[in-house]
Amino acid sequence: MYREYPLGVGFIGTVLKEHGYEVAIFDQNAEGLDDELLWQTVQAFAPEVVGFSVITPNYPVARAQITEMKRRYPETLVLAGGIHVNLFPEDLLADGADYAVLGEGEYSTLELLNRLAGGGDVEGVHGIAMIGLGGIRKTSRQPAALDLDALPFVDRGLYDLPKYTHHSMVASRGCPYRCKFCCNYTGTVLVKGVAVRSHEKVIQELQYLEQDYGASEVFFADDIFLLKKSEMLAFAKTYVESGLRVCWIGQMRADSIDREVAEALAAANCRRIYFGVESGSDEILARADKRMTTSQILEGVSCAKGAGIRVKTGWIYGLPGSVAEQRKSIEFMLRMRPHEISIHQLIPFPGTPYYRSPAEFGIRIRDPKDFESFCYGGLGNNVSFDYMSPAQLIELLEQTAEALEREGYVSSDEATAADPFIYTTPLNLNSMTVFRSDKRGGPLNPAMSSAC
Ligand code: B12
Ligand code: SF4
């Protein structure tokens, strides 16, 4: 139901455009699965440089496209960036990328292109990896996070806006927590720390979106919107004084909200909040290092709901813990009754302790480089859990769906944004299917298809 434009490539495109480069963005999440449109776009635009933005779930697609790009256009320079590239730069270089860009890409990319255009040495460019005579060579990373206030606003003219459900922006980059299931931006893209923008700049960008683009809704793609209670209160005050009308959506931790904050955010036109709840078991939450208890979560959610804010919640089935503990999520959902429930199955993504040392958590990964199995949510073949079989997971998902439907929740297969109570699980058609192999004509993961 929601579709957002990709901000990372937007930032890079904006900086390049400001420095005289001609830029186009192709977003396959919005354009659909048919690669033909990609090749037509490349043919028509005839770029000298192509950059791929890669996170683990889209790596199998990116890998194939990079190889094909080099086959069709051997002279075109290929760059790769994004969180997956920071974890496995050597793989992207082996796939055919000329340079892997590490860290925040705005100025590394600009500097790299300027130097290449001028025939200069790329050694002094921060955060790039390339194949040299003796194997992979990396230059030194940017020493600190970028000053986000000094960056230009993303040029929304780079996107095909009608393809997206709302606008998006960031107020911060990074996160100080260390939940074990999360591939944290801090430590992968950012070497360390969290970068936060000033309220004034955030308000100015909202004004720009409202006035220049007629935005009525903006999604903040931050890991945690503004991080602290004091920051949120100050932002809400500035927002109210600004006379803005645009509504917005934020992703937050439930323990960062109390009644005062929730009411201030509601007065500042916060329409929806996404909370990562993950589980209804305190034991599972503690083991995952979530640093929040179920009672804190319940309190935060009820403050947001009480202030009239629509609440979307994310849950993970399959975090380390017994099936009996996992089942506690059903009762917790019904008690909490958030407007939207989005259930995912645990995927031990690279960049997390579950990927680095799975055995410690009862997780088995047969081939850590079989990323297809990480992307399409199949369990049992490559990734399995000692504490929960695929059949048990599916049974739990079905029991959850039944319980939620009994209580008036509508499945995402049928729901519209107007439905008050919506849920989705990995068994729903619209969940994680963007790049599913069944849609590409190949077989579904057998572990899922035989059991479904
Ligand atoms: C917003 C968001 C979404 C939105 C995406 C909207 C969109 N179209 O972009 C939605 C909700 C749809 C989404 C979905 C999913 N997401 Co998501 N998402 C995020 C989030 C919170 C912010 C992304 C963002 O805008 N960052 C800000 C920009 C500025 O940073 P950036 O994209 O990294 O770009 C910078 C650099 O990486 C680099 N760079 C990036 N691309 C390129 C390309 C080139 C050529 C160069 C040179 C440089 C470069 O330069 C950029 C500017 O500095 C991130 C966490 C995070 N903090 O990044 C998770 C995150 C990317 N998501 C993640 C996951 C797992 C998913 C899902 C699989 C969830 C699920 N189970 O369904 C799906 C997959 C969707 C798909 N099919 O691709 C993981 C990925 C983990 C991994 N190892 O790859 C992350 C990291 C969350 C986490 N901490 O675990 N997501
Ligand atoms: S799940 Fe959220 S709070 Fe936890 S480390 Fe990731 S971004 Fe931070």
Side-chain angles (χ1 to χ4, degrees):
M1 287 182 300
Y2 312 122
R3 180 168 286 156
E4 288 108 19
Y5 42 71
L7 286 167
V9 288
F11 274 108
I12 296 170
T14 304
V15 169
L16 292 179
K17 231 179 124 179
E18 278 194 342
H19 288 80
Y21 290 91
E22 199 184 334
V23 181
I25 291 177
F26 182 90
D27 173 11
Q28 193 149 23
N29 273 328
E31 300 295 348
L33 288 173
D34 191 355
D35 282 354
E36 219 22 68
L37 189 59
L38 169 70
W39 301 122
Q40 282 167 17
T41 310
V42 172
Q43 183 66 27
F45 192 69
E48 289 164 289
V49 184
V50 171
F52 285 84
S53 185
V54 190
I55 59 174
T56 303
N58 69 28
Y59 173 61
V61 174
R63 173 176 50 193
Q65 290 177 347
I66 289 172
T67 307
E68 181 62 9
M69 181 73 71
K70 274 294 184 192
R71 192 189 68 74
R72 290 185 185 221
Y73 306 99
E75 301 304 317
T76 304
L77 189 82
V78 172
L79 313 181
I83 211 153
H84 189 83
V85 179
N86 284 271
L87 296 164
F88 301 105
E90 62 287 354
D91 289 359
L92 277 297
L93 294 171
D95 297 333
D98 297 289
Y99 293 96
V101 178
L102 309 176
E104 295 167 291
E106 288 86 347
Y107 295 105
S108 296
T109 309
L110 175 66
E111 184 80 354
L112 177 64
L113 297 194
N114 284 347
R115 294 219 186 179
L116 290 172
D121 184 7
V122 299
E123 281 306 321
V125 181
H126 279 306
I128 52 168
M130 66 215 110
I131 304 275
L133 281 179
I136 180 170
R137 267 189 315 127
K138 290 183 191 170
T139 62
S140 63
R141 294 282 297 256
Q142 295 99 332
L146 290 181
D147 172 4
L148 297 184
D149 281 349
L151 277 177
F153 297 154
V154 171
D155 178 351
R156 269 62 179 196
L158 286 168
Y159 303 113
D160 187 2
L161 289 176
K163 294 215 159 79
Y164 301 96
T165 47
H166 42 226
H167 284 271
S168 18
M169 60 183 274
V170 286
S172 66
R173 288 183 186 176
C175 168
Y177 292 89
R178 289 288 170 274
C179 304
K180 287 199 162 72
F181 50 83
C182 175
C183 171
N184 200 315
Y185 203 76
T186 303
T188 49
V189 176
L190 296 185
V191 176
K192 57 180 186 318
V194 180
V196 185
R197 292 170 73 190
S198 65
H199 304 147
E200 291 70 26
K201 273 281 176 183
V202 175
I203 296 287
Q204 279 170 25
E205 185 161 356
L206 286 170
Q207 283 165 335
Y208 160 71
L209 291 175
E210 186 173 285
Q211 285 157 18
D212 292 20
Y213 291 96
S216 57
E217 190 172 86
V218 173
F219 168 65
F220 282 94
D222 312 30
D223 288 321
I224 310 178
F225 179 69
L226 289 177
L227 289 171
K228 291 191 212 128
K229 178 178 168 177
S230 56
E231 289 287 314
M232 286 196 269
L233 288 173
F235 166 79
K237 186 168 174 287
T238 323
Y239 179 101
V240 170
E241 288 162 4
S242 71
L244 276 161
R245 280 175 311 163
V246 61
C247 295
W248 55 274
I249 305 156
Q251 313 198 103
M252 295 172 205
R253 283 175 60 95
D255 60 357
S256 63
I257 291 236
D258 57 19
R259 237 173 78 189
E260 184 190 8
V261 174
E263 279 167 10
L265 296 183
N269 280 343
C270 173
R271 178 177 289 177
R272 273 204 301 275
I273 299 181
Y274 295 175
F275 292 116
V277 174
E278 331 307 353
S279 174
S281 153
D282 281 308
E283 191 184 304
I284 288 180
L285 289 174
R287 205 173 289 167
D289 215 5
K290 180 78 189 172
R291 303 196 176 202
M292 227 188 307
T293 60
T294 51
S295 54
Q296 285 174 299
I297 296 172
L298 208 51
E299 176 63 20
V301 167
S302 81
C303 289
K305 280 171 57 184
I309 299 172
R310 189 170 166 85
V311 171
K312 174 174 170 174
T313 51
W315 304 72
I316 306 176
Y317 278 17
L319 285 168
S322 67
V323 177
E325 285 297 317
Q326 317 267 350
R327 189 164 284 117
K328 290 185 176 169
S329 290
I330 304 180
E331 191 265 330
F332 194 46
M333 283 170 195
L334 299 179
R335 194 143 56 100
M336 177 189 294
R337 210 170 161 75
H339 303 95
E340 296 178 34
I341 293 176
S342 192
I343 304 166
H344 305 261
Q345 71 181 61
L346 177 72
I347 302 175
F349 275 116
T352 69
Y354 295 156
Y355 183 86
R356 277 194 296 275
S357 40
E360 210 180 290
F361 303 99
I363 297 171
R364 289 170 201 259
I365 305 176
R366 223 167 43 190
D367 177 0
K369 288 290 185 82
D370 174 7
F371 291 117
E372 294 262 340
S373 73
F374 285 76
C375 305
Y376 307 131
L379 273 184
N381 280 351
N382 193 39
V383 179
S384 58
F385 309 139
D386 291 345
Y387 45 86
M388 187 187 216
S389 69
Q392 284 173 316
L393 172 68
I394 289 166
E395 191 187 355
L396 193 59
L397 289 168
E398 286 171 347
Q399 287 169 351
T400 308
E402 277 163 30
L404 292 175
E405 287 188 12
R406 266 199 309 272
E407 293 298 318
Y409 280 85
V410 181
S411 135
S412 64
D413 289 346
E414 285 111 42
T416 68
D419 280 304
F421 296 103
I422 301 170
Y423 79 94
T424 190
T425 83
L427 301 181
N428 286 111
L429 290 175
N430 296 329
S431 176
M432 267 295 276
T433 54
V434 182
F435 291 128
R436 258 167 73 158
S437 47
D438 54 333
K439 286 213 167 172
R440 296 198 143 234
L444 253 180
N445 184 312
M448 287 303 268
S449 55
S450 57
C452 290

